[in-house]
Amino acid sequence: MNIALWLSRSGLSHPALPALASGTHVVATYGDLAGRAARLAGALREQFKLAPGERVAVVAKNTPAYLELLYGIWHAGLAAVPANAKLHGAELGYILENSGARVCFVSEGLDAEIAPHAPTSLERMIVIGGVGYEALFAADPIAAVPRTGDDFAWLFYTSGTTGRPKGAMLTHRNLAAASFAYAMEVDPIAPGDAIVHAAPMSHGSGLYIMAHVARLGVQVVPESGGFEPEEIFGLFDAWPRASMFAAPTMIKRLVACPNDCRVENIRTLIWGGAPMYVEDALAALDRFGPRLAQIYGQGEAPMTITTLSKQDIADRAHPRWRERLASAGRPYASVEVTIADAQDLPLPAGAMGEILCRGDVVMPGYWQNAEASRAALRSGWLHTGDVGAFDTEGYLHLKDRSKDLIISGGSNIYPREVEEVLLMHPQVREVSVIGRPDREWGELVVAYVVGDASPAALDALCLERIARFKRPKDYVFVGALPKNNYGKILKTELRAADAKRAENMGIPG
Ligand code: AMP
């Protein structure tokens, strides 16, 4: 089934209900939005002669237009290629070329950035909100082009913390399965409930659009087009029962922002996409109360591998509450998740291995990359590349990726464990622990710290809580850590910068 039908139906049954807001102002009802999507679909099929299955790129900051674009593309039987507007022109050029999109919708200003990198396959770049754009909505509306669950609707380019991004093909079935899982287990939605899109709509936040369309929610796009804590608090005041997906760094910034917004207006703050340290989760819980949920997923199984529920996060009375808070929760009802060894054989609870996942939410493969698809999906399971272990109660504990593991003097050291301890110091705002090559030890533990604690105080904290050999041998104080556009810390970049620093300082490697 074409997932665009969810909007057509909402438009038919509840044309006057608000569907979309820019900040605090409603800008479209369900009737408006469904009508515009059907017209845009008409233009894409009739004027641009795009055939079902062709890709249409959207390179845009968060904007209310995202909705009509996604739904217009799907309604026309096409696949959307949402790309993060913060990527470099060359990276966007790569995505445009790789996807083979002939048409690209861009935010104003981005067209100039992309132009020097535009591949020859790209025939049209249309500036969102420009004259040519508005003219498309004069086309005659068409009926939704039928699609099966196996047709892909969204080419989701992985964030590429390692290597070039790959386009995970997300089918209509995958998107429906992710939406059902969200609405059933993370955040039930009633008509009129709001979702605030402050994280990129090309990524995590965008994947929560469909469930809210099906359930007649209101999509709220901040006027700043992004994440400004003060503005977000204003939106929580204005929109009762508002939810928001956020990277852990965003939650941290909300916690740090003095504001007395009515937290009872918040339905759910969902964090995911990167690890949240226990100290940060506790601070968020103190500030927002029982309104936090966590999801663990990846582009290949969008947002849907495990989830830590609001109840688990807030259940301070539970004897293993803190351990659970440090976990990524339990598998969603709709997926199977297992931990496997290097031969793909399942491991028992407590044993660490690669996290594998299968179910309706898992992509059928990467776009035009049979080799990477075979490797990722071998033996019928999605190989996440993430390392973890289940505890005996079925909660998944994520460990550092194997390439981030530090081996010092023959002992394995998991950076996350050291980071959790360093973050307990009140003057440490952010931290990332890496291994520095060393002739004697193989690797040395090095902590990059944002904050102004003394090395002696940090050492003392470590000695109180973890084995001596895990203690950092060097603390480097920095103003900021390298992060990608989704707020994930780039350890590869940090290691490279550290190697340069060590070389400049004459530290033998
Ligand atoms: P992406 O495909 O860009 O969304 O990146 C997915 C990756 O982010 C996963 O494979 C994990 O390594 C990481 N990730 C996602 N959710 C979480 C989470 N809740 N906790 C820790 N890491 C996460």
Side-chain angles (χ1 to χ4, degrees):
M1 169 180 130
N2 189 334
I3 202 159
L5 289 176
W6 294 359
L7 176 61
S8 313
R9 289 174 189 163
S10 294
L12 270 182
S13 60
H14 294 79
L17 271 194
L20 184 58
S22 173
T24 54
H25 313 289
V26 173
V27 292
T29 62
Y30 271 98
D32 301 332
L33 191 58
R36 280 179 70 87
R39 287 176 186 280
L40 178 62
L44 294 172
R45 297 277 287 127
E46 308 300 333
Q47 289 175 32
F48 295 173
K49 305 287 177 217
L50 293 173
E54 283 205 68
R55 282 79 50 216
V56 175
V58 179
V59 185
K61 295 188 228 138
N62 284 2
T63 158
Y66 230 102
L67 272 285
E68 62 196 23
L69 284 167
L70 282 181
Y71 279 91
I73 291 165
W74 293 335
H75 198 96
L78 305 162
V81 187
N84 190 323
K86 287 191 198 146
L87 293 177
H88 186 274
E91 294 170 300
L92 293 169
Y94 173 78
I95 289 174
L96 290 171
E97 182 183 11
N98 186 260
S99 65
R102 286 162 54 204
V103 175
C104 174
F105 290 94
V106 290
S107 301
E108 201 185 335
L110 283 176
D111 46 338
E113 200 172 314
I114 295 173
H117 308 279
T120 48
S121 47
L122 187 69
E123 294 167 11
R124 283 191 175 84
M125 210 155 25
I126 301 156
V127 176
I128 298 165
V131 186
Y133 179 77
E134 263 320 306
L136 295 175
F137 296 89
D140 288 332
I142 60 168
V145 173
R147 297 271 82 189
T148 74
D150 295 329
D151 290 316
F152 74 93
W154 185 318
L155 262 193
F156 188 104
Y157 278 84
T158 55
S159 56
T161 46
T162 53
R164 288 214 130 173
K166 299 187 284 281
M169 293 186 285
L170 300 182
T171 64
H172 290 265
R173 180 181 297 111
N174 295 153
L175 297 181
S179 304
F180 301 151
Y182 172 77
M184 185 170 111
E185 291 183 66
V186 181
D187 192 27
I189 307 161
D193 285 357
I195 176 98
V196 177
H197 293 292
M201 293 168 89
S202 58
H203 217 79
S205 204
L207 288 159
Y208 289 160
I209 290 174
M210 293 78 76
H212 287 84
V213 164
R215 296 286 301 136
L216 298 162
V218 187
Q219 322 267 340
V220 178
V221 183
E223 278 176 301
S224 65
F227 177 70
E228 298 298 337
E230 283 290 347
E231 183 184 13
I232 300 301
F233 281 122
L235 294 176
F236 289 152
D237 270 336
W239 293 99
R241 302 192 315 276
S243 290
M244 184 175 90
F245 171 74
T249 50
M250 294 162 66
I251 302 274
K252 240 181 120 148
R253 282 182 60 198
L254 284 181
V255 171
C257 175
N259 187 297
D260 54 2
C261 97
R262 276 177 290 161
V263 290
E264 42 316 334
N265 261 359
I266 302 174
R267 192 164 95 246
T268 312
L269 288 178
I270 306 115
W271 89 73
M276 170 87 108
Y277 298 102
V278 173
E279 288 303 311
D280 294 338
L282 289 172
L285 190 56
D286 284 346
R287 177 77 186 270
F288 297 113
R291 296 177 181 82
L292 293 150
Q294 179 192 184
I295 62 96
Y296 157 62
Q298 56 178 202
E300 294 82 345
M303 317 288 267
T304 316
I305 299 176
T306 61
T307 178
L308 187 65
S309 67
K310 288 201 264 196
Q311 293 74 15
D312 275 342
I313 291 176
D315 187 7
R316 292 175 192 259
H318 192 280
R320 281 171 303 291
W321 166 64
R322 230 186 131 100
E323 284 101 299
R324 289 184 172 181
L325 200 55
S327 81
R330 306 184 311 140
Y332 281 89
S334 53
V335 292
E336 286 175 80
V337 181
T338 192
I339 304 296
D341 66 12
Q343 278 71 49
D344 281 353
L345 296 171
L347 291 167
M352 206 150 64
E354 186 174 4
I355 301 164
L356 313 188
C357 171
R358 69 182 176 196
D360 277 353
V361 81
V362 173
M363 64 157 191
Y366 296 110
W367 172 247
Q368 294 197 325
N369 194 339
E371 198 184 322
S373 304
R374 257 196 309 277
L377 296 168
R378 63 187 188 274
S379 48
W381 291 87
L382 170 68
H383 290 64
T384 61
D386 291 321
V387 178
F390 275 113
D391 63 24
T392 50
E393 293 174 314
Y395 287 75
L396 179 68
H397 297 260
L398 290 171
K399 305 289 172 184
D400 300 277
R401 284 180 170 236
S402 44
K403 65 179 175 47
D404 294 331
L405 180 74
I406 302 169
I407 305 179
S408 187
S411 303
N412 288 357
I413 298 165
Y414 290 91
R416 167 109 187 235
E417 197 188 346
V418 185
E419 291 160 357
E420 291 275 13
V421 172
L422 296 174
L423 275 166
M424 289 176 177
H425 193 288
Q427 255 88 51
V428 171
R429 287 199 296 283
E430 282 188 311
V431 67
S432 185
V433 167
I434 56 164
R436 177 188 296 158
D438 179 76
R439 285 202 198 124
E440 192 180 345
W441 295 95
E443 280 181 299
L444 284 186
V445 180
V446 178
Y448 275 75
V449 181
V450 182
D452 46 21
S454 72
L458 295 176
D459 261 353
L461 200 57
C462 290
L463 287 171
E464 257 170 48
R465 300 182 184 260
I466 45 173
R468 263 192 115 75
F469 70 91
K470 297 179 183 170
R471 192 166 45 114
K473 300 290 175 297
D474 191 9
Y475 295 95
V476 185
F477 293 86
V478 288
L481 294 169
K483 292 189 188 142
N484 75 4
N485 291 312
Y486 303 100
K488 292 184 213 253
I489 294 174
L490 294 167
K491 291 213 175 205
T492 314
E493 225 165 79
L494 198 57
R495 277 191 290 264
D498 186 68
K500 243 192 214 130
R501 186 175 172 277
E503 194 186 312
N504 290 343
M505 294 178 65
I507 301 171

